[in-house]
Amino acid sequence: MNAIATAAALSLPISHCKSSKLNTRKDVRGGLRLFAVFGEEAAEVEKKSVWGTIFDVEDPRSKVPQCKGKFLDVNQALEVARYDIQYCDWRARQDVLTIMLLHEKVVEVLNPLARDYKSIGTMKKELAELQDDLQQAHRQVHISEARVATALDKLAYMEELVNDRLLQDKSTTVPEKASPPSSISSTRSLDAVKSRLPRKSLNVSGPVQPYHPRLKNFWYPVAFSADLKEDTMIPIDCFEEPWVIFRGKDGKLGCVRNTCAHRACPLHLGSVNEGRIQCPYHGWEYTTDGKCEKMPSTRLLNVKIKSLPCYEQEGMIWIWPGNDPPSATLPSLQPPAGFLVHAEIVMELPVEHGLLLDNLLDLAHAPFTHTSTFAKGWSVPSLVKFLTPASGLQGYWDPYPIDMEFRPPCMVLSTIGISKPGKLEGQSTSQCATHLHQLHVCLPSSRGKTRLLYRMSLDFAPVLKHIPFMHYLWRHFAEQVLNEDLRLVVGQQERMNNGANVWNWPVSYDKLGVRYRLWRDAVERGAKQLPFSKST
């Protein structure tokens, strides 16, 4: 991102258009008050006085913050950001006024009564001059738009500094030195602050290390209830260990190690017999708590394989793979009220679950990555921000109408406001009439594989749920979207394993992904108070 260079370039006051037709006026205080077009009639200024209440705004350049020293403290930096917004507002008013006056001049030139007294050559000359003025005015509007984007970028950066308390104890007192009262000095001072503050970087590089035991002490969703019938099994890998889930007598859930105690045969290759899972090698049978209750062809021995706490809630099956006692409550992953579940899909992906979470918690990549699916035709915003409470793991995207949350330990929930295909209307989700709700569960199967559970819900078109084979269409679309991401994330993983840092330069729209990484690091360090654990 060339935000610093852009800010330096765009913060310079723009010299105003000068032509035979367009000039400026200043009042006795020196502030630019109003653009006026001087033609053949000086009385035109009086005619435009009706616009005074809108455009009669004092030039804020006379009030540039006088910053002492080379660096800014937090109050000075916020004052600079406030001044930038004031200057953008003033500049935009002048641009609009210039366009309006030039438009009226064009109307005057083309007036039927005026045409009777002018030759065609005179009209062509006047229109050519006005066209040049209009082009210059429109160029100024584009410059102002870029300046607004730069000012918003500055404010977003200042928000990061203040919310994360990076400016505390960073004020530096140096001998007084006069600063030129211009926007460029403010920009240079802000850039100096940026250069002196410690850059927020994360070190996520090298081969994925074995998972820390503390990361296992959470409830993990591993399967959808609808996929587990009474006579079926679901084999899963979780934190490098193989498990198998099945239903015992009376439908009771069980999750046992997917390895027979006798000869280490995978149990999921066998069958469920009277609520017990039967090994296909020699017929040993295990209950949901892992106890072997049947050993054909030999005397029954006291044998037991490891089992995990297993629970079923709201259509999902959860396990507790850690050694600590399981918590008494499970988080709810139900869609909001008014939504109907349309698809539940399970996929095995060849990437580490942290990299997949990084991808799901990032939306700024959509207009570049998902050009063949849901982001086809999206424009590229000049600034993408994720706005969230200072201590939260949830928030909303600007300018996308999407709310998003990371829910520990591995879930991403998002609610998307549906707009016209190929368009970004900059609405919040509350302003959209229809919505898509998504749940992504990224179960860490191994250091290079993730079990993804995807649930899609809609608050409109309930009839779609009853169309035959619709589930296959949803799965096809979900796979298309994921394949667009996978080719990038797999490449990231290869480079990370070779030593590249995949979080080397976080920027403002990376906020939620960064917070996930900080949360995970705190869990592995055994922090007593996890960061971002409470919303404010």
Side-chain angles (χ1 to χ4, degrees):
M1 171 177 262
N2 297 323
I4 295 176
T6 306
L10 295 179
S11 294
L12 284 167
I14 303 299
S15 59
H16 304 294
C17 307
K18 292 183 180 180
S19 71
S20 60
K21 299 290 181 182
L22 190 62
N23 294 285
T24 62
R25 277 193 163 187
K26 297 182 179 180
D27 66 359
V28 294
R29 291 177 296 173
L32 183 62
R33 302 294 287 177
L34 189 67
F35 273 112
V37 177
F38 294 101
E40 299 162 357
E41 300 293 336
E44 190 172 283
V45 175
E46 297 297 329
K47 187 174 75 172
K48 303 301 184 290
S49 62
V50 68
W51 295 338
T53 56
I54 300 176
F55 301 107
D56 191 9
V57 178
E58 186 176 358
D59 184 350
R61 286 177 294 180
S62 62
K63 299 179 179 180
V64 176
Q66 303 296 316
C67 303
K68 298 180 180 180
K70 295 173 63 178
F71 306 109
L72 304 178
D73 63 19
V74 61
N75 294 323
Q76 290 172 325
L78 289 174
E79 181 66 18
V80 168
R82 187 179 66 85
Y83 157 75
D84 283 345
I85 294 298
Q86 288 179 340
Y87 179 78
C88 288
D89 174 71
W90 172 83
R91 181 71 258 175
R93 291 171 189 258
Q94 308 312 311
D95 294 341
V96 172
L97 180 58
T98 303
I99 298 287
M100 291 175 63
L101 294 177
L102 287 171
H103 173 73
E104 289 202 359
K105 193 66 178 177
V106 172
V107 173
E108 180 184 338
V109 170
L110 296 176
N111 187 293
L113 294 177
R115 286 203 307 264
D116 294 339
Y117 300 98
K118 296 179 182 179
S119 66
I120 294 178
T122 301
M123 288 184 59
K124 285 184 176 180
K125 181 180 178 181
E126 290 182 353
L127 286 173
E129 291 174 348
L130 287 170
Q131 185 176 16
D132 290 341
D133 290 340
L134 280 169
Q135 288 177 350
Q136 193 170 2
H138 280 108
R139 281 195 295 271
Q140 177 62 48
V141 169
H142 293 318
I143 292 173
S144 294
E145 288 177 347
R147 184 181 289 110
V148 169
T150 302
L152 290 173
D153 191 28
K154 286 183 183 179
L155 286 175
Y157 186 80
M158 291 306 304
E159 179 193 29
E160 289 289 322
L161 298 183
V162 173
N163 284 348
D164 298 332
R165 299 183 180 181
L166 291 179
L167 283 177
Q168 290 184 359
D169 303 324
K170 293 295 179 183
S171 300
T172 304
T173 304
V174 296
E176 289 191 7
K177 184 177 179 181
S179 299
S182 66
S183 176
I184 188 170
S185 66
S186 302
T187 301
R188 287 172 178 169
S189 299
L190 183 60
D191 295 342
V193 171
K194 289 183 182 182
S195 66
R196 295 188 74 242
L197 290 171
R199 182 167 58 86
K200 291 196 317 182
S201 63
L202 300 168
N203 185 13
V204 183
S205 62
V208 181
Q209 298 301 310
Y211 289 108
H212 198 284
R214 293 192 185 98
L215 198 60
K216 300 180 182 181
N217 290 316
F218 293 90
W219 282 107
Y220 283 85
V222 295
F224 294 111
S225 298
D227 294 335
L228 185 63
K229 309 301 181 184
E230 290 186 3
D231 57 347
T232 61
M233 295 172 284
I234 299 179
I236 63 167
D237 289 334
C238 184
F239 292 109
E240 309 277 351
E241 293 184 290
W243 304 94
V244 60
I245 302 168
F246 66 103
R247 294 188 184 276
K249 294 181 180 179
D250 302 324
K252 180 183 177 182
L253 280 175
C255 178
V256 300
R257 190 184 295 276
N258 192 10
T259 305
C260 182
H262 180 210
R263 300 280 293 276
C265 179
L267 292 175
H268 76 276
L269 299 177
S271 60
V272 177
N273 181 26
E274 296 181 352
R276 296 185 297 268
I277 189 169
Q278 185 183 69
C279 176
Y281 207 169
H282 297 93
W284 290 24
E285 296 184 7
Y286 301 89
T287 60
T288 54
D289 62 357
K291 183 175 177 57
C292 184
E293 288 190 343
K294 197 170 184 179
M295 295 180 182
S297 308
T298 187
R299 179 171 58 87
L300 184 64
L301 302 175
N302 185 19
V303 174
K304 190 173 184 179
I305 58 177
K306 186 177 180 180
S307 64
L308 294 179
C310 191
Y311 198 78
E312 191 170 16
Q313 175 179 286
E314 298 175 344
M316 301 197 79
I317 297 170
W318 303 68
I319 64 171
W320 182 278
N323 294 322
D324 288 356
S327 61
T329 59
L330 281 75
S332 175
L333 299 181
Q334 283 285 84
F339 283 79
L340 185 65
V341 175
H342 281 251
E344 293 181 337
I345 299 168
V346 180
M347 291 182 245
E348 301 289 342
L349 305 178
V351 292
E352 194 269 332
H353 91 292
L355 288 175
L356 186 60
L357 281 169
D358 291 341
N359 175 268
L360 293 171
L361 295 171
D362 168 31
L363 200 62
H365 72 279
F368 304 99
T369 304
H370 300 291
T371 53
S372 299
T373 52
F374 71 90
K376 185 177 182 179
W378 279 20
S379 60
V380 180
S382 58
L383 182 67
V384 176
K385 295 187 293 182
F386 185 80
L387 305 174
T388 183
S391 62
L393 286 166
Q394 74 288 327
Y396 64 95
W397 289 93
D398 180 12
Y400 305 110
I402 298 177
D403 299 335
M404 185 173 284
E405 176 186 359
F406 167 69
R407 189 167 296 177
C410 64
M411 290 84 80
V412 178
L413 297 93
S414 58
T415 301
I416 304 171
I418 305 291
S419 58
K420 296 179 181 178
K423 290 188 177 181
L424 280 176
E425 300 176 352
Q427 297 174 314
S428 66
T429 53
S430 60
Q431 294 174 317
C432 296
T434 54
H435 303 83
L436 163 70
H437 181 78
Q438 297 184 113
L439 165 68
H440 292 85
V441 177
C442 301
L443 180 69
S445 298
S446 68
R447 283 175 279 180
K449 188 174 70 172
T450 299
R451 178 179 174 86
L452 175 67
L453 277 63
Y454 174 74
R455 175 187 278 168
M456 186 199 74
S457 308
L458 303 174
D459 65 354
F460 64 97
V463 68
L464 292 177
K465 185 176 176 66
H466 305 290
I467 297 178
F469 309 112
M470 196 67 188
H471 182 85
Y472 297 103
L473 181 63
W474 291 132
R475 184 181 183 90
H476 173 71
F477 183 76
E479 287 176 344
Q480 275 190 314
V481 174
L482 277 170
N483 285 334
E484 290 176 325
D485 285 317
L486 274 179
R487 63 189 184 92
L488 308 179
V489 181
V490 169
Q492 276 186 301
Q493 184 169 258
E494 291 174 354
R495 282 151 181 78
M496 181 184 74
N497 289 336
N498 290 327
N501 185 4
V502 298
W503 272 108
N504 196 39
W505 285 99
V507 293
S508 59
Y509 55 67
D510 293 322
K511 181 185 291 184
L512 193 55
V514 169
R515 290 190 172 185
Y516 155 66
R517 287 291 178 175
L518 295 176
W519 170 88
R520 179 171 168 177
D521 181 65
V523 170
E524 294 177 350
R525 286 187 288 104
K528 294 182 179 179
Q529 178 65 40
L530 295 180
F532 320 119
S533 58
K534 294 182 179 179
S535 303
T536 58

